[in-house]
């Protein structure tokens, strides 16, 4: 299927299956402790909502942090801007899982982890739906990865190009 010149990289059914697999891994790790979810906006909003619907582990709270490094381009600037702050009481001493849409250069992961780590969580892990390891510029660890993808600019399922395409139900790329 093609939309607006886009080609499908990961179809809807594969996305659903990937989210379910991630949920099982997360459930296993947080079965006895529960977890605070921190969604990285805007791109991970749809993924986080779908993940929450299939998680069985107790989710104590859902928080949001906005991170941006793309602006209106297709390449990360490496300069991550965080907006919004978390109430330290909501994450201090808690097991925290950051949920993001895509792992690219690693700068967003580093910035968000450093910020949340400063609030004193009991543990901190990172979940990303998509990973482009060949683009990595900093050494960071993603504990949960849904799909490893080639170095293509992708849209859909919450991810955008200049605020367009977020509502597409699958992951697409520009050929």
């Amino acid at each position: 299927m093609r939309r607006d010149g886009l080609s499908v990289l990961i179809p809807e059914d594969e996305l659903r299956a990937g989210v379910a697999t991630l949920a099982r891994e997360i459930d296993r790790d947080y079965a006895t402790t529960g977890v605070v979810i921190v969604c990285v906006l805007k791109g991970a909003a749809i993924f986080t909502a779908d993940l929450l619907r299939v998680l069985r582990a107790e989710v104590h709270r859902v928080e949001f942090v906005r991170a941006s490094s793309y602006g209106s381009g297709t390449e990360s600037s490496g300069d991550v801007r965080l907006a919004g702050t978390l109430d330290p009481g909501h994450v201090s001493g808690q097991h925290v899982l950051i949920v993001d849409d895509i792992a690219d250069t690693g700068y967003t992961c580093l910035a968000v982890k450093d910020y949340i780590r400063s609030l004193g969580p009991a543990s901190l892990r990172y979940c990303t739906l998509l990973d482009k390891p060949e683009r990595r510029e900093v050494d960071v660890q993603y504990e949960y990865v849904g799909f490893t993808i080639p170095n293509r600019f992708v849209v859909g399922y919450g991810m955008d190009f200049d605020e367009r395409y977020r509502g597409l139900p699958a992951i697409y790329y520009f050929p």
Side-chain angles (χ1 to χ4, degrees):
M1 171 195 288
R2 295 174 69 90
R3 293 179 182 230
D4 202 16
L6 300 172
S7 295
V8 174
L9 181 63
I10 305 172
E12 291 178 69
D13 58 338
E14 285 182 36
L15 275 175
R16 279 192 298 277
V19 171
T21 298
L22 284 170
R24 284 190 297 276
E25 293 172 19
I26 293 164
D27 284 339
R28 178 194 64 226
D29 292 344
Y30 293 103
T32 60
T33 63
V35 64
V36 171
I37 301 285
V38 177
C39 172
V40 180
L41 296 175
K42 294 182 186 176
I46 293 172
F47 170 42
T48 300
D50 285 351
L51 185 63
L52 286 168
R53 283 191 269 277
V54 294
L55 278 175
R56 298 295 169 242
E58 183 179 355
V59 176
H60 298 299
R61 165 177 306 280
V62 178
E63 297 288 339
F64 301 90
V65 64
R66 187 170 175 174
S68 176
S69 67
Y70 281 87
S72 61
T74 60
E75 293 284 326
S76 173
S77 67
D79 178 30
V80 178
R81 295 174 305 283
L82 297 180
T85 58
L86 302 177
D87 182 330
H90 294 169
V91 295
S92 178
Q94 299 294 315
H95 298 281
V96 176
L97 176 64
I98 301 163
V99 178
D100 204 351
D101 56 352
I102 190 163
D104 195 12
T105 61
Y107 288 114
T108 297
C109 175
L110 187 63
V112 174
K113 272 187 167 181
D114 284 351
Y115 167 62
I116 294 174
R117 197 174 287 118
S118 75
L119 302 176
S123 69
L124 183 60
R125 292 182 178 156
Y126 211 102
C127 174
T128 185
L129 177 64
L130 306 176
D131 185 19
K132 290 196 275 185
E134 66 187 86
R135 291 270 302 139
R136 200 82 71 243
E137 294 179 13
V138 294
D139 185 25
V140 291
Q141 181 176 349
Y142 300 92
E143 288 80 10
Y144 306 98
V145 174
F147 301 90
T148 299
I149 64 170
N151 185 19
R152 294 183 184 255
F153 188 82
V154 295
V155 296
Y157 199 66
M159 290 168 275
D160 74 304
F161 172 66
D162 202 20
E163 294 299 324
R164 295 179 58 213
Y165 307 111
R166 285 191 196 279
L168 294 176
I171 305 294
Y172 296 83
Y173 67 95
F174 293 96

